[in-house]
Amino acid sequence: MPGGERSGRSADMVGSTRPLSIPEQQKRHRVTQPNSRPPIRFRGRSFMALVLAPSAPVHDWLEDLDALSRRSPAFFVGRPVILDVSGLGLDRADLTALVSELKARDVTVMGIEGAKSGSLGEGLPPAPAGGRPVDEVATPDAPAPTHAEPPRAARSLILDQPVRSGQTILHLEGDITIMGSVASGAEVIAGGSIHIYGALRGRAIAGASGNPDARITCRKFEPELLAIDGLYRTADDLGPDRRGQPAQIRLDGDAIKVAALE
Amino acid sequence: MAKVLVVTSGKGGVGKTTTTAALGAALAQAGQSVAVVDFDVGLRNLDLVMGAERRVVYDLINVVNGDAKLNQALIRDKRLENLSLLPASQTRDKDALTDEGVAKVMEELREKFDWVICDSPAGIERGATLAMRHADLAVVVTNPEVSSVRDSDRIIGLLDSKTLKAERGEVMEKHLILTRYDPARADRGDMLKVDDVLEILSIPLLAIIPESLEVLRASNVGCPVTMNNPLSAPARAYIDAVRRLKGDTVPMTVPSDKKSLLNKLFTRRAA
């Protein structure tokens, strides 16, 4: 699998998980005084939002929605909802009315897509950016309460090629195993743990979707930066210990611990 | 069937143009018909190193734009008749290269020659990606120092993703030429050792070119080093590289310029 393609595909997802986007000032603060205050953590989390696209006339569409709610009263409970009003030509007053109609039906709108420019603003949800379409969500046609989706088994990503400088490997759904080395200037970001069977010379960011139990292991420890669950250390902070040795890296409270790998 | 070889590095000044000229000349000396193509539009150098700068009429951009035929732009070497140069334009920039135009030129070159050697510009932008795009194999030129090695690693990543061969799902054949190597300084720890570079880049080694004044001397007289002084250390290293490219098994050595006993005894005149 060509590497650049991987990094290209992952580029749009990088924005959602930025364990490193802490202002420079704060970074220094954290690094020099690790025990003063609990650090601010940034984590990504993704939910599947339900997109409601009303069709004209809106009044009839609301009646259909009522029918659906009667069949399945719990359908909208706890679901983030995005309202797609493209093509309806609603102005600000219509939009406010529609949102309050939905609110009366216990549907809380998180964002509005496709509204005319300038029609959103105070009192109305914002226009979300960066959405990606997913398959249609099945509407319940029998009065069955919806169950929470069973958690998908974490899948691991295995790479046979070395990760070259400038490449980003992003896999938020599980572990990453790399049979080769991670070069200086390369970046590996995993939701779970990272296992490197060569040298780690670039950045390894594990537990990126909020997993303090994630670990990083490598056969040769020469990293530029390590991060687990949003807490990071640069090569400078780590000092010369274990350099060039096999190592495993884990989180102990708020500290990154580097241990020998026997 | 012609082979298209790209000489690339990422970093500038490591010896891509010298390597292109030396490999091109050595292949031609071995009886192959060779075209060397300068992709460094705006900063052309290959014409100087080949000693053809006073004979340039049309260039790669003219051919890409259809203003000249390929035959009009190709400059045949005066010393080796089976060696030709397609120079770059000095007055334009890399944006003048179009995808379709370059594809057409490469197609035509493939029909005419046994080997097409593309001299890539430094960097990872348009010129460099277009130079590698149509290649069948790549020679990555690296100096034994960390910044050059990391840039080469980046280029190898691009060779594995941005080339036509990679996009077809095939594996790009990649070779390393380590230039400006000085075994004594490597032993003292002043520069990276061969094994260090190979460990980081993990691609097969094609040749080690020793640091030598012959390289500078050859480029100043406008003659590829393999032609200017075929017995010099860098020339022998390049000639070995060409034999390996053609499939021969040649033991890997770092050639050195032999000094006579008298030269060894009298190293330098005392002050």
Side-chain angles (χ1 to χ4, degrees), chain A residues 2 4 164-165 183-184 201 220, chain B residues 150 153-154 160-161 199 201:
Chain A
R164 300 287 181 182
S165 185
S184 161
R201 298 193 178 94
K220 199 169 181 188
Chain B
R150 187 164 77 180
D153 195 66
R154 179 88 164 96
D160 283 336
S161 61
E199 202 221 319
L201 294 181

Side-chain angles (χ1 to χ4, degrees), chain B residues 211-228:
Chain B
E211 172 81 321
S212 167
L213 280 175
E214 283 297 327
V215 173
L216 186 64
R217 195 171 293 150
S219 72
N220 281 340
V221 298
C223 182
V225 68
T226 43
M227 240 194 278
N228 194 47

